[in-house]
Amino acid sequence: MNSYNSIGALFIDYRNFYNLSQSDFADAINVDLRTVQRWEKNLTLIKSEKEENIVLATLMPYQLIHNLNAVVPIPTFYNFKTRKYSLSKQTNDLPKLSWFIDQIEITSSNLRTIEFDYDFKYIEQFIDSQKRDNNYVNAELIKEAIRILPELNFVHTGKSGYYTGHCIVLPINEKTYNRLKTKEITNKDLRAKDLVDFKTLQRPIFYRYDITGDCNDTIFYVMAHFFRFFRDLENKNYLMCGYTERDDNYQVNLQIGLKFIWEDKALQKELNLEAPPRFFEGNFNNFLAQL
């Protein structure tokens, strides 16, 4: 993570990371070029009502923008690849796995089931920006997942009420699972008809599409809620599977009981990814038995 002490430095690095000119950036957030130039020189602050537009357009965390958009900025760390911020070096890295065992009962009043009409604009934009091979989830699919499995399709918001992270898990049928595992289909082929009420299956199959948070605090709340569901699940004969292009939680996934079935190095090269896309599966029974 890089440390930022001004909104201007953050915007300059944002443009460099995404190879944008000042004009491109101005167009994206619907302001004139001179406004961007003044921001980057720290000659003026962003109007408070404009902060949400910048958050939506850039997907940078609201708290990051808010911390730096002040007469006396709050120095904040940020990583453009993981889209995570931190207030200190001590909280830059992913949390230790043992933390989730020790703190699994932690709850947050800011965590709730996805309200599709209100939340989807944030989730859709985040997913579209993350899945560089166009492996997106369509709106009807997510809406159906929320209806069938509201416990694992949720968002987290910050104290200011802004979106800070989400969890999307799809309860899929056996046929769909096998087609994903054998690369016959990908995320972009999934439809609402592929989902099923997991309570009707002898072996429920959960497809972890996306779990994310803007900082470790958010991740703590999201993952604690996620793991509590499987701790309390009566049918332990379940399977968790998923597809990921990220490598920052590779070792954590192995430690919690997941194994990687395949990795696509050709797609890694094609999309210029740091790690090969992988398909994983397993369960959390042994991990949660430590409780």
Side-chain angles (χ1 to χ4, degrees):
M1 288 190 177
N2 290 333
S3 178
Y4 292 96
N5 296 287
S6 71
I7 199 73
L10 178 70
F11 285 171
I12 290 170
D13 277 7
Y14 173 85
R15 289 195 302 100
N16 288 337
F17 184 83
Y18 290 103
N19 195 27
L20 299 174
S21 67
Q22 288 182 327
S23 295
D24 293 332
F25 184 47
D27 290 342
I29 57 178
N30 196 28
V31 299
D32 58 61
L33 175 59
R34 289 192 63 187
T35 298
V36 170
Q37 291 172 336
R38 290 178 64 82
W39 286 343
E40 292 192 354
K41 292 179 181 177
N42 297 305
L43 297 177
T44 186
L45 294 176
I46 304 164
K47 293 181 180 179
S48 58
E49 62 268 21
K50 193 66 181 174
E51 289 182 342
E52 182 176 10
N53 292 343
I54 293 172
V55 170
L56 275 173
T58 65
L59 296 178
M60 288 189 286
Y62 170 80
Q63 197 61 53
L64 170 70
I65 301 296
H66 194 67
N67 286 355
L68 298 177
N69 184 40
V71 176
V72 181
I74 301 172
T76 307
F77 292 86
Y78 186 62
N79 185 313
F80 285 101
K81 291 181 180 179
T82 61
R83 291 197 175 99
K84 285 177 57 181
Y85 79 89
S86 171
L87 294 178
S88 69
K89 287 184 177 180
Q90 287 80 6
T91 56
N92 280 358
D93 296 329
L94 284 171
K96 300 294 184 182
L97 194 59
S98 60
W99 190 96
F100 296 109
I101 292 294
D102 296 337
Q103 306 293 333
I104 195 170
E105 296 297 345
I106 188 172
T107 60
S108 170
S109 59
N110 295 330
L111 189 149
R112 55 174 172 75
T113 297
I114 295 170
E115 295 178 14
F116 182 84
D117 293 336
Y118 179 76
D119 297 315
F120 187 68
K121 63 180 180 180
Y122 297 97
I123 294 171
E124 180 182 37
Q125 190 164 356
F126 187 91
I127 292 174
D128 283 348
S129 71
Q130 289 287 92
K131 309 300 180 186
R132 281 186 276 176
D133 62 345
N134 203 29
N135 276 5
Y136 59 87
V137 164
N138 64 52
E140 292 305 313
L141 180 68
I142 292 181
K143 186 180 291 187
E144 182 66 2
I146 298 167
R147 185 187 72 81
I148 298 176
L149 187 58
E151 303 94 330
L152 287 181
N153 287 279
F154 56 85
V155 295
H156 188 273
T157 57
K159 293 179 180 178
S160 58
Y162 284 92
Y163 161 90
T164 57
H166 65 259
C167 174
I168 298 176
V169 176
L170 312 177
I172 60 176
N173 59 51
E174 187 88 24
K175 180 180 178 181
T176 299
Y177 155 69
N178 286 321
R179 295 179 73 196
L180 286 164
K181 184 175 180 178
T182 58
K183 297 187 183 182
E184 185 180 343
I185 61 173
T186 64
N187 287 354
K188 64 184 177 183
D189 301 306
L190 292 171
R191 298 293 182 267
K193 63 180 177 61
D194 295 307
L195 306 186
V196 64
D197 182 354
F198 73 92
K199 298 183 184 72
T200 66
L201 302 179
Q202 287 189 337
R203 183 178 74 155
I205 303 174
F206 302 95
Y207 187 69
R208 193 189 77 185
Y209 181 73
D210 204 40
I211 298 180
T212 188
D214 64 354
C215 65
N216 278 349
D217 283 352
T218 299
I219 290 173
F220 292 159
Y221 292 123
V222 169
M223 294 307 299
H225 186 87
F226 176 82
F227 283 132
R228 280 198 303 274
F229 174 86
F230 291 99
R231 180 199 63 184
D232 299 337
L233 187 64
E234 189 171 323
N235 185 353
K236 300 302 183 185
N237 184 36
Y238 68 87
L239 183 71
M240 166 60 65
C241 61
Y243 167 91
T244 181
E245 296 170 4
R246 294 178 59 162
D247 200 46
D248 56 337
N249 58 0
Y250 175 75
Q251 291 299 327
V252 171
N253 281 327
L254 293 177
Q255 292 173 45
I256 61 177
L258 302 177
K259 60 180 180 179
F260 289 89
I261 305 302
W262 53 257
E263 61 180 32
D264 194 333
K265 292 188 176 181
L267 186 59
Q268 175 190 10
K269 184 176 181 181
E270 177 186 338
L271 300 177
N272 194 29
L273 300 172
E274 291 188 356
R278 300 180 176 107
F279 185 89
F280 59 83
E281 65 178 38
N283 63 57
F284 310 129
N285 291 340
N286 290 335
F287 170 64
L288 294 175
Q290 302 174 50
L291 290 170

